[in-house]
Amino acid sequence: MKFSCELPYFCLFIISLWLSGTLFDELLHCRLVGELLVGLLFGNLSVGTLLPADKTLFILTGEVGVLGLVFEAGLGTDIRRVLKAGPRAALVAFLGIVVPLATGFGFMYGVSQQSHIQEMESDASTGTRGSSDIVIEALASGASLASTSIAIAVTLMKQQAILDTAVGTLITTAAMLDDVVSLILLGIVSSIGGGSGPEGSDSGIRPMIVLQPILASLGIILVGVIGCAIVAKIKARREASTVKLSRFKNKETSVETGVSVHNEDVYINQSDSFAVGLETEDDVQHGDEGMDEGMDDDNRNRTDGSAFEEESRAKKRVSSSHRQRIRSRVLIFYSMFGPTIKLAGMVIVGFGYSILAEYLGSSRLLGAFVTGVFFSAFEDLCHQYEKQIAHKIQPVMSAVFFSTIGFAIPLTKILEPVLFGWGVVYAVIATLSKLTTMFAVPAKISPSEENLKDGVSVSRYNARWVVGAAMIARGELGLLMAQQAQMQGVMGQTAMVITIWSIVLATLFGVGSFSVVMRRKL
C-alpha cells in the first residue's frame, strides 16, 4: 500500500491552527492573526503536499463558520442597549463608516493607478481592467475598513471592566451599527461587481443594480425589526399576566384565611344544632323504614343499567390511562431532546434566512446577523447555542475560515516589500480615520449615564480616547469582507494583499493603543 502524507499533514494543520490561535490570543488578544499565518504557510508551501490541491471542503467549512460567527454576533446584541445609546451611538457609527470608507476609497483608487501596481495585477489576472473595475475595487477595500470588530472590542472592555458603563454601551452599539452598514455595502459592491459586465465596462452598471441590494437589505432588516417588536410585545404581555396571576393568588390566599376562620364559627353553631336534633331521631326512623321497602324494587331494576355504565367507565379509564402513558412518554422525550430540537430549529432558521437574503440580492451575512438579533430575546436558546456550538464547534470552523483567507493569498505577494509598504501606509490611514469617532463623544458624561459596575469609572477626557481606540480594530469582519470581495471577483490579489496588511496592522495597533489608553488614563 502506498503511503499518503495527507492525513499527517492535515493533523499538523489542525494542531497548528490551535497552537497559533492560542498563542496570539494570549499575547495580543487577536487569535485570527495566528490562524491567518497558518493558512498562508499551509496554503502556499508545496501545494498539493501539505494540503490537498482542491481545498473546496476547507472553503465550504470556512463559509459555514463565518455565518456562525456573524450569527453569534447578532445573538450578543442587546436591543435595549442599542435603544439606550440612541443618536450618540449613531453619530459615532456615522463617523466610523463615512471617514474610513472615503479615505480607503481614495487611497486604494490612487494606489491602483500606479504603474507598478497595475503591472503586478496584470501578472496575477487575465484580461484588461476597466476604470469601473478600479472604482469598484477601491469601494470594496474602503468598505472592508469601515467595519469594527465587536468581538475584539468586547474582549478588551471586559478585561478593563468597562463593558457595562455608558462608554462600553456606546462602543458596542456603534460597532454593531458599523458592521450592519458594512454588510449592506458588501451586498452593494458584490452586485455592482457582478453587473459591471465581463470586461468591466461602465455601460453594464445600471441604477437597479445599486438599488436592489439596498432595498433587499432594508427589507431584511425591517422584517427582523418587526419580529423583534412582536416578540417584545408577547414577552411584555406574559410578564403582565404573570404579575396579575401572582396578585390574584395573594388575594385568594388572604380570602381563604378569612373563610377558614368563618367556617370554624359555623361549625360550632352546627354542632349545637345537631345535638338538639338527635332528640327527635327515633321518631323519624320508623317513617324511614317504610320508604326503604318501596325503594328495593327500583334498585333491582337499575342493576343492569349500572353494570353497563360501570363497564363503559372502565373502558374510559383504560383509554385515559393509555393516553396518559403516551403523554408521559412524549414529555420525557421532550424534556431530554427538547432543547436540542429548539437549537436545531434556530440554526435552520438562521441558515434559511441567510439564503433568502442572498437570493433577494443582499448579503447572506446580513441575514445571519439579523436572525441572531431576533433570537437574542430567547435567553434559553442563546444559552444552548453558547454551550453546544459557540464553545465547541464555532472556534474550529472560524479558525478554518481565517486560514482559508491565507489560502487565497500567494506567499510571494504577501512578502512583496512594495505591497507591505503600501499596507503600512494604508494601516496608518485606517487607524487615523477610526480615531475621528472620538470627536462624536461628548466632553461630559452625566452620572445617570455612567452605569457603574464594580466601582469602575471612565473620566470625561479619557472617554473620548477609549472610544477612538476601541473602534480601530477591524478584525474578523474586515478580513471577511476582503475575502468575499476577492472570491466574487470584485477585488484583485494585489489590492487584497494591501487591504489585509492594513487590517491586520490596524487591528494590532488598536489592541495596543486601547491598553495604553486604559493604563495611562489619558
Side-chain angles (χ1 to χ4, degrees):
M1 180 182 292
K2 185 179 179 180
F3 178 75
S4 176
C5 297
E6 290 185 356
L7 182 59
Y9 281 133
F10 178 76
C11 294
L12 180 62
F13 170 70
I14 297 297
I15 295 173
S16 301
L17 276 181
W18 173 69
L19 287 176
S20 62
T22 303
L23 179 63
F24 276 82
D25 189 31
E26 292 292 333
L27 295 178
L28 302 174
H29 306 294
C30 192
R31 65 182 305 121
L32 59 89
V33 177
E35 295 161 354
L36 179 63
L37 291 177
V38 171
L40 279 170
L41 294 176
F42 278 81
N44 288 275
L45 297 179
S46 300
V47 177
T49 303
L50 289 182
L51 287 178
D54 186 8
K55 301 182 180 64
T56 304
L57 181 60
F58 293 96
I59 295 174
L60 290 177
T61 304
E63 289 290 326
V64 176
V66 77
L67 284 177
L69 194 68
V70 177
F71 181 77
E72 184 180 354
L75 287 178
T77 302
D78 192 342
I79 299 296
R80 291 172 295 183
R81 284 192 173 189
V82 173
L83 296 177
K84 186 176 182 179
R88 186 177 298 169
L91 180 59
V92 174
F94 177 78
L95 291 177
I97 293 169
V98 174
V99 178
L101 179 63
T103 55
F105 173 81
F107 174 81
M108 186 54 65
Y109 184 80
V111 170
S112 299
Q113 299 292 335
Q114 302 295 320
S115 58
H116 60 282
I117 297 296
Q118 291 182 354
E119 290 177 0
M120 291 181 181
E121 190 63 42
S122 62
D123 293 338
S125 61
T126 58
T128 59
R129 302 179 68 204
S131 59
S132 64
D133 290 333
I134 298 177
V135 171
I136 295 169
E137 182 179 75
L139 185 60
S141 179
S144 300
L145 294 176
S147 62
T148 302
S149 176
I150 297 179
I152 294 177
V154 169
T155 301
L156 294 175
M157 288 188 292
K158 280 184 178 179
Q159 293 174 352
Q160 300 295 334
I162 64 169
L163 182 61
D164 292 333
T165 63
V167 174
T169 301
L170 181 65
I171 293 172
T172 53
T173 305
M176 185 271 295
L177 294 175
D178 278 358
D179 291 350
V180 170
V181 176
S182 298
L183 292 174
I184 296 175
L185 290 174
L186 177 62
I188 296 173
V189 171
S190 300
S191 297
I192 293 176
S196 59
E199 297 181 356
S201 61
D202 297 333
S203 60
I205 302 178
R206 299 185 300 274
M208 194 58 194
I209 295 178
V210 180
L211 290 177
Q212 181 181 359
I214 296 176
L215 296 177
S217 300
L218 292 178
I220 292 294
I221 295 174
L222 181 61
V223 172
V225 170
I226 293 174
C228 292
I230 293 174
V231 171
K233 286 185 177 180
I234 293 174
K235 292 183 68 175
R237 289 179 180 177
R238 288 183 177 179
E239 291 177 358
S241 62
T242 303
V243 172
K244 289 181 179 179
L245 182 60
S246 62
R247 290 177 179 176
F248 176 76
K249 287 183 177 180
N250 292 333
K251 290 182 180 179
E252 191 177 37
T253 303
S254 61
V255 171
E256 287 178 354
T257 304
V259 170
S260 62
V261 175
H262 176 70
N263 288 338
E264 289 179 0
D265 297 336
V266 174
Y267 176 76
I268 294 172
N269 295 331
Q270 288 180 349
S271 299
D272 296 338
S273 299
F274 180 72
V276 175
L278 287 175
E279 298 176 356
T280 60
E281 183 178 356
D282 293 336
D283 297 334
V284 177
Q285 185 174 2
H286 296 289
D288 291 341
E289 291 178 354
M291 295 178 62
D292 291 338
E293 292 177 357
M295 293 178 63
D296 290 339
D297 296 333
D298 295 335
N299 290 334
R300 294 189 189 95
N301 295 329
R302 294 176 181 176
T303 302
D304 297 334
S306 62
F308 177 77
E309 292 178 359
E310 184 66 25
E311 183 179 357
S312 63
R313 282 196 296 267
K315 291 181 179 179
K316 289 181 179 179
R317 284 195 298 269
V318 172
S319 60
S320 177
S321 62
H322 181 66
R323 288 195 300 268
Q324 188 67 27
R325 284 196 299 269
I326 295 176
R327 183 180 300 176
S328 62
R329 291 176 181 175
V330 171
L331 291 176
I332 292 173
F333 178 83
Y334 183 77
S335 63
M336 295 176 59
F337 302 101
T340 304
I341 295 174
K342 290 181 180 179
L343 179 62
M346 181 178 71
V347 173
I348 292 173
V349 171
F351 279 119
Y353 202 64
S354 302
I355 295 172
L356 177 63
E358 187 175 30
Y359 177 77
L360 294 177
S362 181
S363 171
R364 60 175 176 268
L365 302 177
L366 180 62
F369 183 83
V370 172
T371 310
V373 173
F374 172 77
F375 282 108
S376 64
F378 302 90
E379 297 179 359
D380 294 339
L381 288 177
C382 294
H383 178 71
Q384 287 294 324
Y385 186 89
E386 183 178 1
K387 181 180 178 181
Q388 299 294 332
I389 298 179
H391 289 168
K392 295 180 180 179
I393 303 175
Q394 186 61 51
V396 177
M397 302 186 74
S398 299
V400 172
F401 163 72
F402 290 118
S403 67
T404 58
I405 297 177
F407 293 167
I409 305 174
L411 194 60
T412 55
K413 288 270 186 187
I414 201 71
L415 297 178
E416 182 71 34
V418 175
L419 299 183
F420 175 74
W422 284 118
V424 172
V425 176
Y426 201 8
V428 174
I429 295 175
T431 300
L432 296 176
S433 64
K434 279 291 186 179
L435 277 177
T436 58
T437 56
M438 62 185 294
F439 297 110
V441 181
K444 182 178 181 180
I445 297 178
S446 62
S448 61
E449 295 177 331
E450 200 47 44
N451 293 333
L452 296 179
K453 183 179 180 181
D454 299 332
V456 178
S457 179
V458 180
S459 63
R460 291 180 294 177
Y461 184 68
N462 191 35
R464 289 183 169 179
W465 287 99
V466 169
V467 172
M471 298 290 288
I472 293 175
R474 269 57 168 196
E476 62 280 350
L477 188 57
L479 292 175
L480 163 65
M481 295 183 66
Q483 187 248 17
Q484 292 289 313
Q486 196 270 341
M487 287 184 61
Q488 296 178 11
V490 176
M491 186 184 296
Q493 284 186 351
T494 303
M496 183 182 180
V497 169
I498 297 174
T499 303
I500 286 180
W501 270 123
S502 66
I503 291 173
V504 171
L505 295 176
T507 300
L508 296 177
F509 183 79
V511 173
S513 62
F514 185 85
S515 301
V516 171
V517 167
M518 294 303 299
R519 184 166 56 249
R520 295 188 178 184
K521 303 292 183 182
L522 293 177

